[in-house]
Structure formats: structure tokens, C-alpha cells
Amino acid sequence: MMRAIPGGPFTNERAIPDFVLEKMNARYGLDQPLYIQYGKYLMNVLRLDLGPSYRYEGMTVNEIIASSFPVSAMVGGIALVLALLVGIPAGIVSALKHDKWQDRLSMILATLGVTVPNFVIASILVYIFAWQLGLVTVGFWEGLSTAILPAVTLAGYPAAFISRLVRSGMLEVLNQDYIRTAYSKGLSGRRVIYVHALKNAVIPVVSYLAPLTAGILTGSFVIEQVFGVPGLGTFFVTSITNRDYTTIMGVTIFYSALLIGFNLLADLLLAVIDPRIKLR
């Protein structure tokens, strides 16, 4: 699909002499038929070699991923922890206080978290904490101290979605016969909720965590642009505009591998949580 777009990785606003362009294409093998390029690329991928970047001189795609993914993973990891710490308790409270003010307030906040774009949340957080209060710096990367605001922004949508999943799961589970049996045996409400009910209510959350984790760890271009985070999402989008074929393919393969791995892990966890699922 990228090869069908007019232009190439070495075409830009400045006119390049044809003989220079031909030499550049020959150096990277772009003058060969597409099926030959594709076959060679697949052989290199089998050796875990994702090729050189066409736009970042002297850098390979492996080096780009190795340098930028830890940054995105740091921000995404913090965001994932925040989403779970906020979303699961909020969903439990909403289910236990069904149709009360706590439930309505939680669902209003969850609806806002799902519908409000993350760049709007990012702008509000920057205005309050960076511009007005001066508590953080924005626009350049300083490590963990500058990862908090983008992580909070990234956690907004998944926290809201997780709370809705937990709420609906808890409401369904609390009406089951085995929950009434547990209460009739004299078990405490806390034990019934956290040992018996929550275990089944979080099954949809575990399924949702697989694509969420893969997506959130590889970064968000919008958030990384707003906060100046040099993460993988920024490289991925700029490689599309620059027609950097190898970087586009390499990041896509890397993301796909993460997605498959986390989906497999989620399936294994579901087999542990839900005894009705058997691993054979």
C-alpha cells in the first residue's frame, strides 16, 4: 500500500537529480522488482533484521525500536497501572451502589473518559499543571518526571472502559445463585465480593487487556507529540509521511508480535481464572 503512494523515501521538497536518485535506489535495492524486494525482506525478518531506515541515516529499524520503545513502554506501563487501579474499584463501587449517586457519578465520569478525545484531556492537563501551577515541564523528555502527565492522559479512556466492563460484569454476577448461596453460608460481604464475585466479573477485563496492553505500550502519536515524548508512536507516524518503508513495516511487525503475545497470555490467564475453560 505504501509503495502505491506517489514518490518514495528519497523524494522531498527539494529536487534531486535523477542520477543521484537512481544511485540511492540501487544502494537500498529499491530498483529491483517488488517481489524480489519482498522476498529479501522476509528472509531478513527471519533473522530478526528489520533493515536500515531510509530517512534516519546510519540507523537501523532495530535500533529505532530499541531506543524508542522503552520510552513508550514506560509511559504506557504507568498508564496501564493507573487504568487498572482506577477502573476496577470504580466499577465495583458502581455495581454495589447500583442506581445510587455513586453509580451515576461514576458512569458520568466513565462516559466522559470514553467520549472526550485524549488530546483535549492532554491540553487541559498541560494548561493546569504546566502553565498555571508550573509543577511539570512539557515539550522535552526528562524521564520519569515528565512521564506522569502523558501517562494520566493515556489512562483516561482505558480506565473509563474498564470501569464499565467491571460494573456490567459485577451486576450480572451478583444476581447469580452461587452468590446468594455464599451469603446464606454466612460469609462476609467483603469475602463474597472480592473472592467469589470479582473473579468472574473481571473475565471481560482480561480479554480487553490484551489489545489494550499492546496498543498502550507502543505509544500514542498524539500524546507523544503534545508532551514531546520521543516514543515509538512518533517514529511510526513520521515514517509514514516520510515513506520510510522499512520503519513502517518493522514497527508494524513489532506491534503485531506484541499483540499476538498478549492475546496468548490473556487466553492462558482466562484458563486460570475461569475453570470452565480447559487447556488441552
Side-chain angles (χ1 to χ4, degrees):
M1 291 173 63
M2 288 299 302
R3 300 299 179 92
I5 299 176
F10 309 119
T11 58
N12 49 33
E13 293 79 7
R14 296 182 301 173
I16 299 178
D18 291 339
F19 73 94
V20 175
L21 191 59
E22 290 175 0
K23 288 186 176 182
M24 294 290 288
N25 288 329
R27 176 186 175 185
Y28 291 101
L30 297 177
D31 57 340
Q32 299 176 349
L34 190 59
Y35 67 91
I36 294 179
Q37 296 183 45
Y38 185 62
K40 290 183 177 179
Y41 183 79
L42 289 182
M43 294 302 296
N44 290 331
V45 169
L46 292 177
R47 295 193 293 265
L48 301 181
D49 180 10
L50 299 177
S53 171
Y54 296 149
R55 299 294 293 191
Y56 298 97
E57 187 175 356
M59 291 190 67
T60 64
V61 178
N62 295 58
E63 292 172 344
I64 290 176
I65 294 175
S67 62
S68 59
F69 176 67
V71 177
S72 293
M74 176 191 295
V75 177
I78 297 173
L80 186 62
V81 172
L82 290 176
L84 292 173
L85 291 179
V86 173
I88 293 178
I92 295 174
V93 171
S94 295
L96 296 179
K97 303 295 183 180
H98 183 52
D99 280 340
K100 296 181 180 179
W101 69 267
Q102 296 95 330
D103 182 26
R104 296 189 180 95
L105 177 61
S106 178
M107 286 301 98
I108 290 173
L109 295 176
T111 302
L112 290 175
V114 171
T115 55
V116 176
N118 55 12
F119 64 85
V120 175
I121 299 175
S123 301
I124 294 173
L125 292 178
V126 169
Y127 177 76
I128 295 175
F129 293 99
W131 182 259
Q132 293 293 331
L133 300 179
L135 297 177
V136 295
T137 56
V138 176
F140 52 92
W141 180 251
E142 291 184 339
L144 183 61
S145 61
T146 52
I148 302 301
L149 277 189
V152 172
T153 306
L154 275 178
Y157 178 86
F161 197 81
I162 288 172
S163 68
R164 294 169 69 93
L165 286 177
V166 173
R167 176 183 180 271
S168 61
M170 287 291 293
L171 289 176
E172 181 180 355
V173 169
L174 290 176
N175 293 321
Q176 299 294 322
D177 291 337
Y178 75 92
I179 296 296
R180 287 191 286 269
T181 302
Y183 277 117
S184 65
K185 289 182 178 180
L187 297 179
S188 64
R190 184 183 298 272
R191 181 175 176 82
V192 172
I193 296 300
Y194 291 103
V195 176
H196 297 281
L198 185 60
K199 184 177 180 179
N200 290 323
V202 297
I203 290 177
V205 177
V206 174
S207 299
Y208 170 66
L209 283 179
L212 169 66
T213 304
I216 205 169
L217 290 184
T218 49
S220 167
F221 170 71
V222 175
I223 300 304
E224 291 180 354
Q225 285 292 100
V226 172
F227 293 99
V229 178
L232 192 58
T234 300
F235 279 97
F236 184 58
V237 176
T238 54
S239 66
I240 295 175
T241 59
N242 292 329
R243 299 177 182 86
D244 192 351
Y245 303 141
T246 50
T247 303
I248 297 169
M249 288 295 296
V251 176
T252 302
I253 291 173
F254 180 71
Y255 170 77
S256 301
L258 284 180
L259 183 60
I260 293 171
F262 283 119
N263 276 326
L264 175 61
L265 181 60
D267 289 341
L268 295 176
L269 287 176
L270 286 176
V272 174
I273 297 174
D274 190 350
R276 295 171 296 182
I277 301 175
K278 302 294 183 181
L279 290 179
R280 299 189 183 276

